[in-house]
Amino acid sequence: MAPRAHVVCFGASDQAEARAWATRVFPEVGETTTTTLTRTKPAETSDGTYRWRGDHKSARECRKMVEAVCAEVLRTSTTRVVVVCARLGGTGTTRATQTFAAFRSALPKGVDVGIALARGAAPTKASCLRANLLFNAVVARCPARRLYPSRRARSGEEDEDEEERASRTWHREHARAIAIIADRVEDDGDVLIARARERLVIDGDPIQRLTLSMAEQLADVSDAVRAFVETRGFNVTLREGVTARLKASTPERWCSGGYSAHHYVAAPPQPHGVYYELELTDSGVAVGYVAMSALQSDETATVAYPFSSPDTVFTTAQVDRLCVLPEFRGAGVKEALLRHVCDGYHEFGLPVRIKTAKESVVASFEKCCLLAFERVKDPTAKGVEKRRGLKKVVVLPKTDEDRWTVDGDDSRDYDSDWRKLQATTTTTVSNPVAAFNAALNRSTPDTAPRATRQMLTAIEGVSVFDAYAERIVTTAVCQKSYAAMYATLSDAMPFRDDICRRVIALLDSSDDETIAGAAEFLTELWRVGAATEEEFLSGIFREGSLDEFVRVEIAFNALLRFGDVLRDAEPARAYVAACAPDGRRNLSARGAAARLIFLAEEVHAFVESGYSVANRRHFGARPATSRADAHDSAREELKSLRIVYDDGGAETAAILRGERKGWVFWYVGSPVRSHALDGPRAFRFVAEDPRRFVPV
C-alpha cells in the first residue's frame, strides 16, 4: 500500500500544483490531502479533505494549523507531511521554515517530514534595513545587512541586480537553516527539496517571531549572557577569603547606587545590556558595578573576528561602565565582575573590550591578568583634532566656483547708516517701584548702561531702598549666568552696601542653588569694586566649611579665577591645602563627587605652576554673557580651527568621525568560542599578532 501524505501549502490554493511539489519530495506517496493556508478561502475541489483559512504570517494561526494537522495525521495514520512554499517569498519563506521545524518537533519519528521551497523575492530593502532587522528561522538567523550589503562589503563580487542578489542570499540563508533540521537536502539554487526523519529537539515552540529589532537582538544576547552567569553561580571569593555575591542590577543603579560619583562618566549606561553589582555576603554592602553590551561592526569584520557567528550582526562586546568603590579597591572586585560576565560573552562568540580615557586607570588595567593592552586610540590619527570633547575641524563641501562674489547689479548703499534715529523723550515716573522693576527686567549685558540710567531715574527722590535692594539680589541670585551684569548695575546704585549685606546673609542658606548664586554674585560685586575684599574673603572662604561640598566648589572656582590675587590671603590657605594630593584623598574619603576631585586637581596644578594662566586648562570656563564676549570667544575659537573640504575621497569618513582618545584593552580570561560555520572552535587575543585573534 502506497504511503499517505498531508500537504501544507503556503500562499497557493492550487492543490494540483501542491501535490506536484509534494511528489518531488516524496516520490513514493500515493494518496494525499491538502491544507492550504491563505488569507482568502481556497477554491472548492473534490479531493481536498482539509482546509485552513488564515494569515500565513500570524504565529497564532500557524500554531493552530500545526496542531490541527498533527491531530489529522495521527488520526488517519498518515506517514508523510510536506510543507510547500511555492513562490511566496519575503517572511512567508521564514514562516514556512519555522512550520517545517514545528512539524518535525511535534510529530513522532515514524512520520517523515519534508519541505519544498521555491526561491522567491527577499524582503524589501527599505523596510528591513531601516530597523536593522534580524530574520528568525529558529535554528539559524539572517541579518538584513547580509541581504543588502554595502558596496565595500561586496567589493570584488560580480555586478548583479540588487533584487536578484538579495533573492539568492535569502534562499541560501533558509537553505542553511533547513540543512540543520533535515538529514537529506537537494538544492539547485532555485528549488530546495529536503526530508527529515529524526525528531527535532528544540527549546520552546518553533513558531516564533519572524524578525527581531535591534533592541530585541541586544536583549537576546543579554539573556544568553545572564543565563550563562546563572549556570556559573553567583557566589565569588575575593582576596583574603572575603566572600561576595554577584547580583543582577539595572542601568539606573549606576547613579542611585553612588557609582557615578566615583567615575568620570556620570550618565547611566545604555539600556538592553547586562548589568551586575557585587555585594559582600556578610554585610550586603555593594562594592562594585559593571555594565556591558554587544557591539556591531562593519560587514567585513569577519576578517578581524574569524569566530563571528553568521546568525548575528554583533562581532564584539564592550564594558560600558566599571566602577569599584574606593574603599574596596585592591580586593579583587574588578576581576570578579569581569570574569563572570565576560566569560558569558566569550561563550556567545563575542570578545570583550574595555576602553578608558583616564590615565590613572590604565596602570590598574595593566596590572590585571585578565586584560591585555591593544593600543591607544588617538583621534589626531584619524584626521580630527579634539580638545575636551570639542571638534576643531569644519567640513565644507568642495565647489568649483566662488559662492561669495560681489553682485554688480546690486545698487544698494551698504556704507550708509540705515538705522532710524530715535527722538529724545522725557518720561515722568509715577510709580518708582514699577519703573525700577521694568528697567531691571529689560536689562541685558548689552543694554546694561541704558538700564542703569532708567533705574536711577526711577529712584530719584526715593529715600528708602529696601524693596529695590531686595529685588536686585533676588534676581541676581536666581540668574547666576548674569551675575556680572547685575554687579555692574549694583555698583551704580546708591544702596550698593545694602545689596552686599543681603548677599552675604544669603550665604547662610541651606539651599545649594541659593548659596551658589549668592557666591557668584558676591564674587562679581567684589570684582567691580562694589564689595570690599574682606566681605569677599569672609563670604567665599568660610572657616570650617570643608565638609560642605557646595562651598568647597565655590572656593575652588574662585581660586581658579583669582588665584594670583588671593595667593597670600589667609582664609584661602585651607582650601589651597585641600587641593593637594592629601587633601583630595580626604575629600574623597568624605564622599566628595568625582567632579569636585577633578576640580581640585585643576586648582592644585594652577597653584603649582605659580598661578600661570597660560598653563591652565580652564576647567569649567565661564560662558559668554554678552555680544562682545561671544565675539571674543569666537575669535579665540577660530585660532585653532581647521577648514577641511570634503572631496568625497577616502578620508571623508575619518574627518567626520570624532573619537575620544583612550586606551583599549581586551579581556583574555577565557578563549572566545567560535560560532563560525567552519574552522577552529576557539580563539584567543594576542596583542603582538597582526591578526589580534588566533586559534587556541
Side-chain angles (χ1 to χ4, degrees):
M1 181 178 177
R4 297 165 55 87
H6 195 110
V7 183
V8 180
C9 188
F10 276 74
S13 58
D14 188 342
Q15 295 186 17
E17 182 185 28
R19 284 196 303 272
W21 281 97
T23 304
R24 296 183 65 175
V25 181
F26 297 117
E28 69 276 15
V29 166
E31 183 182 352
T32 63
T33 56
T34 305
T35 293
T36 300
L37 186 63
T38 181
R39 292 176 179 173
T40 59
K41 186 176 181 180
E44 295 291 340
T45 58
S46 58
D47 56 353
T49 60
Y50 199 88
R51 297 183 177 88
W52 190 269
R53 182 179 179 182
D55 186 353
H56 61 269
K57 292 188 179 182
S58 169
R60 177 175 173 272
E61 296 292 336
C62 283
R63 291 191 189 103
K64 290 169 59 179
M65 183 268 296
V66 169
E67 292 174 2
V69 170
C70 287
E72 178 74 7
V73 167
L74 296 176
R75 185 183 66 82
T76 59
S77 300
T78 300
T79 58
R80 305 285 190 274
V81 174
V82 187
V83 178
V84 172
C85 184
R87 298 180 299 277
L88 182 60
T91 50
T93 306
T94 309
R95 186 63 83 197
T97 305
Q98 291 185 353
T99 305
F100 171 58
F103 279 122
R104 186 60 283 170
S105 176
L107 291 171
K109 184 178 180 180
V111 180
D112 288 352
V113 180
I115 185 171
L117 191 68
R119 181 165 66 91
T124 59
K125 180 178 181 179
S127 60
C128 64
L129 286 185
R130 182 172 60 247
N132 212 350
L133 297 177
L134 182 71
F135 297 98
N136 182 18
V138 185
V139 294
R141 292 172 172 178
C142 175
R145 292 198 309 175
R146 197 170 299 145
L147 301 178
Y148 299 99
S150 66
R151 185 177 303 173
R152 179 189 174 199
R154 64 174 186 266
S155 61
E157 295 184 2
E158 60 181 10
D159 191 14
E160 186 181 17
D161 178 75
E162 187 174 54
E163 299 291 337
E164 179 69 15
R165 185 192 308 109
S167 174
R168 293 192 179 279
T169 305
W170 186 242
H171 182 82
R172 185 170 61 248
E173 290 298 315
H174 285 84
R176 179 169 66 90
I178 291 171
I180 297 173
I181 305 170
D183 47 36
R184 176 182 168 188
V185 180
E186 299 174 8
D187 182 19
D188 61 5
D190 289 316
V191 177
L192 179 144
I193 303 297
R195 301 171 64 170
R197 304 182 66 89
E198 297 295 330
R199 190 169 183 176
L200 177 66
V201 179
I202 187 171
D203 294 333
D205 187 355
I207 306 291
Q208 301 175 2
R209 293 170 295 181
L210 287 170
T211 61
L212 280 73
S213 66
M214 182 53 66
E216 291 170 332
Q217 294 173 54
L218 287 167
D220 202 33
V221 175
S222 299
D223 290 342
V225 173
R226 282 191 287 266
F228 176 85
V229 174
E230 188 173 352
T231 61
R232 277 278 190 91
F234 298 104
N235 295 320
V236 298
T237 302
L238 304 178
R239 293 170 190 163
E240 299 182 1
V242 178
T243 59
R245 179 175 176 82
L246 208 62
K247 180 181 70 173
S249 187
T250 62
E252 293 74 22
R253 280 287 298 168
W254 176 252
C255 298
S256 62
Y259 302 103
S260 61
H262 303 281
H263 200 273
Y264 59 88
V265 180
Q270 64 175 353
H272 312 300
V274 176
Y275 319 94
Y276 281 97
E277 290 181 78
L278 194 69
E279 60 180 21
L280 300 181
T281 305
D282 295 338
S283 61
V285 176
V287 298
Y289 178 97
V290 68
M292 299 187 190
S293 61
L295 283 179
Q296 176 178 261
S297 294
D298 60 74
E299 297 143 292
T300 61
T302 51
V303 177
Y305 311 112
F307 40 77
S308 296
S309 170
D311 298 321
T312 179
V313 297
F314 303 121
T315 54
T316 58
Q318 74 173 2
V319 179
D320 297 317
R321 301 287 186 275
L322 176 62
C323 179
V324 179
L325 297 183
E327 57 268 31
F328 300 101
R329 290 172 184 170
V333 175
K334 172 177 81 267
E335 288 77 6
L337 288 169
L338 289 174
R339 188 184 297 279
H340 277 67
V341 187
C342 292
D343 283 355
Y345 279 102
H346 276 202
E347 184 69 17
F348 198 77
L350 300 178
V352 182
R353 74 177 189 184
I354 181 170
K355 174 183 168 186
T356 181
K358 193 173 182 182
E359 295 185 36
S360 59
V361 179
V362 176
S364 173
F365 284 178
E366 288 177 337
K367 296 176 183 177
C368 181
C369 62
L370 300 179
L371 299 176
F373 174 71
E374 183 201 14
R375 63 190 171 113
V376 177
K377 293 188 69 175
D378 189 352
T380 58
K382 300 293 184 181
V384 178
E385 292 179 359
K386 303 181 81 176
R387 179 176 177 271
R388 290 202 164 274
L390 299 177
K391 292 183 179 180
K392 297 296 183 181
V393 176
V394 173
V395 182
L396 298 178
K398 187 175 182 180
T399 58
D400 296 331
E401 58 182 10
D402 189 357
R403 299 175 59 192
W404 313 111
T405 56
V406 177
D407 187 357
D409 297 331
D410 190 352
S411 60
R412 288 175 292 182
D413 182 11
Y414 289 96
D415 296 329
S416 63
D417 188 358
W418 291 355
R419 292 175 297 179
K420 296 182 179 180
L421 299 177
Q422 296 181 349
T424 303
T425 58
T426 303
T427 304
T428 302
V429 179
S430 59
N431 187 336
V433 175
F436 183 89
N437 288 339
L440 182 64
N441 291 337
R442 289 194 300 267
S443 61
T444 67
D446 296 306
T447 63
R450 184 174 62 184
T452 302
R453 291 193 298 269
Q454 292 173 345
M455 293 163 65
L456 290 173
T457 301
I459 61 175
E460 284 183 359
V462 176
S463 57
V464 179
F465 300 108
D466 290 349
Y468 306 101
E470 181 67 25
R471 175 61 177 163
I472 287 182
V473 171
T474 302
T475 305
V477 169
C478 294
Q479 300 181 31
K480 189 170 62 172
S481 299
Y482 296 97
M485 179 195 71
Y486 290 117
T488 303
L489 294 175
S490 301
D491 188 40
M493 298 296 125
F495 48 87
R496 68 179 190 176
D497 293 340
D498 190 16
I499 292 175
C500 289
R501 285 194 296 271
R502 291 175 183 271
V503 173
I504 293 173
L506 282 179
L507 289 172
D508 293 325
S509 171
S510 59
D511 181 16
D512 289 354
E513 289 293 329
T514 301
I515 294 172
E520 185 67 23
F521 188 31
L522 179 60
T523 301
E524 293 298 334
L525 288 172
W526 171 69
R527 189 178 61 82
V528 299
T532 64
E533 183 172 332
E534 183 181 356
E535 290 173 329
F536 169 69
L537 292 175
S538 62
I540 301 301
F541 302 99
R542 296 210 163 187
E543 190 175 341
S545 62
L546 285 173
D547 289 329
E548 300 178 53
F549 297 137
V550 63
R551 299 185 187 276
V552 174
E553 184 173 352
I554 289 168
F556 285 173
N557 279 315
L559 287 172
L560 282 178
R561 292 179 61 186
F562 310 108
D564 53 340
V565 178
L566 303 173
R567 65 175 70 191
D568 298 325
E570 180 64 29
R573 290 180 180 175
Y575 292 91
V576 172
C579 297
D582 291 341
R584 295 200 298 271
R585 282 192 287 270
N586 292 334
L587 287 175
S588 181
R590 290 199 294 268
R595 184 184 185 282
L596 186 60
I597 304 302
F598 294 157
L599 182 59
E601 292 176 0
E602 293 289 327
V603 176
H604 181 67
F606 188 36
V607 173
E608 290 298 308
S609 67
Y611 301 95
S612 173
V613 178
N615 295 328
R616 272 207 43 215
R617 290 188 290 175
H618 299 282
F619 182 89
R622 291 167 50 81
T625 56
S626 66
R627 287 197 194 110
D629 290 343
H631 293 165
D632 291 342
S633 298
R635 279 192 291 270
E636 187 67 25
E637 186 75 14
L638 288 172
K639 288 181 180 179
S640 59
L641 196 66
R642 289 197 298 113
I643 306 298
V644 177
Y645 288 95
D646 179 8
D647 59 358
E651 294 299 318
T652 300
I655 294 170
L656 296 176
R657 182 180 64 248
E659 297 180 358
R660 189 168 68 178
K661 182 177 180 180
W663 289 260
V664 180
F665 292 79
W666 290 89
Y667 175 76
V668 293
S670 62
V672 184
R673 180 186 173 190
S674 176
H675 289 260
L677 297 179
D678 53 12
R681 306 321 301 163
F683 288 78
R684 62 187 178 89
F685 174 81
V686 180
E688 297 79 12
D689 196 289
R691 295 170 296 174
R692 296 195 299 182
F693 292 95
V694 298
V696 174

